[in-house]
Amino acid sequence: MMEETKLTRFQRRYLMDCMKRGDTLPLQCYPTSCKKPAPAAPAFSPAVCQPSRLSAKPHLRPAKVCQAGDAYTREKFKPQARRDLEKEKQRLQNILATGKDVLECNVRQTLVRTKEEEIPEPDRFEELVNEVQERKEFLAEMEALGQGKKYQSIVLTEISQKMREMEIIDKKRSEEMREIMTKDFPGGKSFFP
């Protein structure tokens, strides 16, 4: 039986010593403890309340005590609607009356509206101006905190990249404007030299 429980040699030896002496077996046997447990109180001495010591006999509560507690009471079921029943009724009425679901029509109308109302793209030049301004503000904040030298080269590089992109956009716009102006004048001559 000791082999099946996989006790250590120390634990086996300790249990065998207890059996040889005729003592009661301990409730807990620590695997490496060299200390002998304190001798048990004699049976004729008055009972001392020891909360850490468990008795071998289980204490079962009677059924009446268990049923008297809240262990067997169930919570009342409170149903909650997962969907709006009035909307479902209205939808069913529309399907039976017209043969079509109103929700499908609403979805189609919203898709048509989004196609009609095309959102104009923000001007890239204005975005670049805002980004340059944000970087200048960031650099000013870092200089106020004493960290300006750390970020100065990075921020100035980003600003120069943005400025280069702004110059390219400006050249394209000016070329487009020249083409428009040459088309408008008779004889194909440009207003610009």
Side-chain angles (χ1 to χ4, degrees), residues 59-72:
H59 295 284
L60 299 176
R61 295 186 299 168
K64 290 180 182 178
V65 174
C66 292
Q67 290 171 351
D70 291 338
Y72 287 99

Side-chain angles (χ1 to χ4, degrees), residues 113-124:
R113 286 180 189 166
T114 55
K115 288 180 182 177
E116 290 174 2
E117 300 171 3
E118 292 183 15
I119 300 170
E121 292 184 20
D123 188 23
R124 179 66 182 154

Side-chain angles (χ1 to χ4, degrees), residues 3-183:
E3 292 174 7
E4 291 176 3
T5 57
K6 298 181 181 178
L7 296 174
T8 63
R9 290 182 186 213
F10 174 79
Q11 290 172 329
R12 289 180 191 175
R13 193 175 344 114
Y14 180 72
L15 290 175
M16 292 303 286
D17 290 341
C18 288
M19 286 175 47
K20 286 178 185 176
R21 287 189 306 243
D23 294 338
T24 59
L25 295 176
L27 295 175
Q28 295 179 348
C29 183
Y30 298 102
T32 59
S33 174
C34 296
K35 297 177 184 176
K36 301 255 180 180
F44 60 92
S45 69
V48 179
C49 181
Q50 295 178 352
S52 63
R53 185 173 178 180
L54 300 174
S55 66
K57 183 180 178 184
H59 295 284
L60 299 176
R61 295 186 299 168
K64 290 180 182 178
V65 174
C66 292
Q67 290 171 351
D70 291 338
Y72 287 99
T73 58
R74 288 187 178 182
E75 293 181 16
K76 298 273 184 173
F77 176 70
K78 297 175 185 174
Q80 297 176 350
R82 293 187 179 180
R83 59 183 187 263
D84 189 9
L85 296 179
E86 290 300 319
K87 286 183 180 179
E88 291 291 323
K89 287 179 187 176
Q90 189 68 30
R91 182 174 168 260
L92 182 61
Q93 286 177 355
N94 289 336
I95 291 172
L96 294 176
T98 60
K100 294 181 181 179
D101 191 3
V102 175
L103 295 177
E104 293 176 4
C105 296
N106 289 340
V107 171
R108 289 178 189 163
Q109 289 176 358
T110 56
L111 289 174
V112 171
R113 286 180 189 166
T114 55
K115 288 180 182 177
E116 290 174 2
E117 300 171 3
E118 292 183 15
I119 300 170
E121 292 184 20
D123 188 23
R124 179 66 182 154
F125 194 83
E126 293 297 324
E127 287 178 3
L128 291 171
V129 170
N130 292 335
E131 289 176 12
V132 168
Q133 186 63 31
E134 288 174 5
R135 281 161 177 76
K136 285 182 181 178
E137 292 171 2
F138 174 77
L139 187 59
E141 290 175 9
M142 291 299 113
E143 287 175 355
L145 295 173
Q147 299 288 326
K149 292 180 181 178
K150 183 178 179 181
Y151 294 102
Q152 187 173 12
S153 63
I154 298 169
V155 173
L156 291 177
T157 304
E158 290 178 1
I159 289 175
S160 67
Q161 290 172 350
K162 302 297 178 190
M163 295 295 283
R164 178 68 182 143
E165 192 174 343
M166 289 169 64
E167 289 173 1
I168 293 170
I169 292 173
D170 187 42
K171 286 181 181 178
K172 287 181 183 177
R173 284 185 180 175
S174 62
E175 288 175 8
E176 290 173 1
M177 288 300 291
R178 283 188 182 151
E179 289 176 8
I180 292 172
M181 295 302 282
T182 54
K183 290 180 184 177

